[in-house]
Amino acid sequence: MLIDTYGRVATDLRVSLTDRCNLRCTYCMPEEGLQWLAKPDLLTDDEIVRLIEIAVTRLGIEEVRFTGGEPLLRPGLPGIVERVAALAPRPQMSLTTNGIGLRRTAAALKAAGLDRVNVSLDTLRPDVFKTLTRRDRHKDVLEGLEAAHAAGLTPVKINSVLMPGLNADEAPDLLAWSMEHGYELRFIEQMPLDAQHGWKRDGMVTAADILASLRTRFRLTEESAGERGSAPAERWIVDGGPHRVGVIASVTRPFCAACDRTRLTADGQVRTCLFATEETDLRGALRSGAPDEEIAAIWRTAMWGKKAGAGLDDPSFVQPDRPMSAIGG
């Protein structure tokens, strides 16, 4: 079991498979990209599977989310998924992706055992997409979403970040479009995870702003607290159902008290929080020949030291020294 001093138990593992990405989203990294991790520093496919097996069989992990960077850039991804699907007990498996590579990989990932996907899509307007991501790939994302839905990677969830002056007015359109196509939409407050440290609390599009915008067109009924559980998204029933929309208010309404996550970076470090400033090395133990129980003990100790919360709305908040692409979403 992975438990901390506040009584929270981690059952959800986020695994970053690469720090690389084929987009250059303005809220994540500079236009020229970053200095990527050297290949020897990255965990191998075997090392990833071994750490996931330790987490599932010895530490109580029930859900595994593959992230990046962009996880579809990992050549061995289908094989990793297939091997994790063979574990007993079998964890639920999902993938967070920008969607560009889904058209050609969705069916293979489903066949390997992947359960569902989360796809980032911040706008329905190709010109705004190009401005936000610095790439002209909007059509590829839409085709990727269609392929994921057709392959049965459902529910297909869309993650949207609204930025002032760019797409802040699109919340109602995004929701109407998502409902029309059978996708589940979740808005995420912009978080301070950009490599340029350009994030500012003032002026960001908040959860309250998003809900006010949605209510200009839809009737929203909040789900009960019991239905939310440890999920980061607060959800609302739209126009009486069956459709729902979620809002992840990471900055204005942090959900740290119910957090059930632990994170593994692409280079084999445990991060107890997306905003943690400390990491615990598992790669060194792996490569030095440590047995599974020793690695599990290192992981348990790291989680025991997890802090109470991120404090994003606190003026004293210190931004992490690694960008989102190196940590995993």
Side-chain angles (χ1 to χ4, degrees):
M1 180 182 294
L2 289 171
I3 189 169
D4 64 30
T5 54
Y6 299 92
R8 297 169 296 192
V9 178
T11 58
D12 184 334
L13 171 61
R14 305 297 168 102
V15 181
S16 175
L17 297 178
T18 178
D19 59 333
R20 296 173 185 266
C21 188
N22 42 11
L23 295 180
R24 296 292 181 268
C25 296
T26 56
Y27 52 78
C28 183
M29 68 173 74
E31 186 170 5
E32 65 275 13
L34 299 165
Q35 184 173 345
W36 310 120
L37 291 167
K39 188 172 181 179
D41 293 336
L42 293 171
L43 293 176
T44 66
D45 293 0
D46 288 344
E47 289 171 336
I48 289 170
V49 173
R50 183 181 171 198
L51 287 175
I52 294 174
E53 182 175 10
I54 290 169
V56 169
T57 61
R58 295 175 180 266
L59 298 173
I61 290 298
E62 300 171 357
E63 298 179 45
V64 176
R65 172 82 62 85
F66 297 108
T67 70
E70 173 46 50
L72 295 182
L73 295 179
R74 179 91 185 199
L77 176 59
I80 292 172
V81 171
E82 186 173 21
R83 291 167 68 184
V84 174
L87 295 177
R90 180 199 187 280
Q92 286 291 303
M93 285 185 292
S94 58
L95 176 83
T96 295
T97 171
N98 61 31
I100 288 175
L102 268 179
R103 183 170 60 86
R104 58 180 174 77
T105 59
L109 289 171
K110 178 63 177 179
L114 191 70
D115 294 303
R116 63 172 189 82
V117 293
N118 285 38
V119 180
S120 298
L121 179 66
D122 301 324
T123 177
L124 297 176
R125 304 192 293 248
D127 59 325
V128 176
F129 182 91
K130 187 174 181 179
T131 298
L132 277 168
T133 67
R134 306 184 180 106
R135 297 292 186 270
D136 190 11
R137 305 296 298 272
H138 190 257
K139 181 173 179 287
D140 296 314
V141 178
L142 300 188
E143 291 177 350
L145 282 161
E146 292 173 4
H149 193 272
L153 292 169
T154 54
V156 175
K157 295 185 179 181
I158 293 178
N159 295 338
S160 294
V161 176
L162 299 183
M163 308 276 287
L166 285 172
N167 61 340
D169 62 331
E170 287 197 65
D173 290 340
L174 280 163
L175 179 53
W177 181 84
S178 297
M179 292 193 300
E180 178 186 348
H181 288 82
Y183 306 141
E184 185 176 323
L185 178 63
R186 306 189 310 173
F187 293 99
I188 305 175
E189 287 182 337
Q190 184 194 0
M191 294 180 283
L193 289 169
D194 57 310
Q196 314 91 285
H197 290 196
W199 178 83
K200 290 182 173 57
R201 172 66 178 82
D202 295 338
M204 64 169 282
V205 181
T206 67
D209 297 331
I210 294 165
L211 291 170
S213 179
L214 292 175
R215 287 187 171 114
T216 63
R217 196 183 305 181
F218 303 98
R219 177 168 53 89
L220 304 181
T221 305
E222 189 170 6
E223 281 188 339
S224 68
E227 289 183 89
R228 180 182 182 185
S230 61
E234 300 173 72
R235 297 204 307 174
W236 281 261
I237 302 166
V238 182
D239 291 340
H243 298 291
R244 285 164 166 74
V245 64
V247 179
I248 300 178
S250 304
V251 177
T252 60
R253 293 199 291 272
F255 44 87
C256 302
C259 181
D260 65 349
R261 299 179 183 180
T262 182
R263 298 175 184 274
L264 184 64
T265 68
D267 55 348
Q269 310 300 305
V270 169
R271 291 183 74 98
T272 58
C273 172
L274 190 60
F275 301 95
T277 55
E278 295 127 6
E279 297 176 335
T280 301
D281 181 31
L282 295 184
R283 185 189 62 197
L286 267 178
R287 294 182 179 177
S288 67
D292 288 357
E293 186 49 49
E294 182 179 330
I295 293 170
I298 295 170
W299 208 329
R300 289 190 195 98
T301 300
M303 288 304 297
W304 186 250
K306 183 173 181 174
K307 293 182 169 55
L312 304 188
D313 211 22
D314 186 327
S316 63
F317 169 70
V318 178
Q319 193 165 341
D321 57 0
R322 290 229 258 176
M324 190 191 310
S325 63
I327 301 167

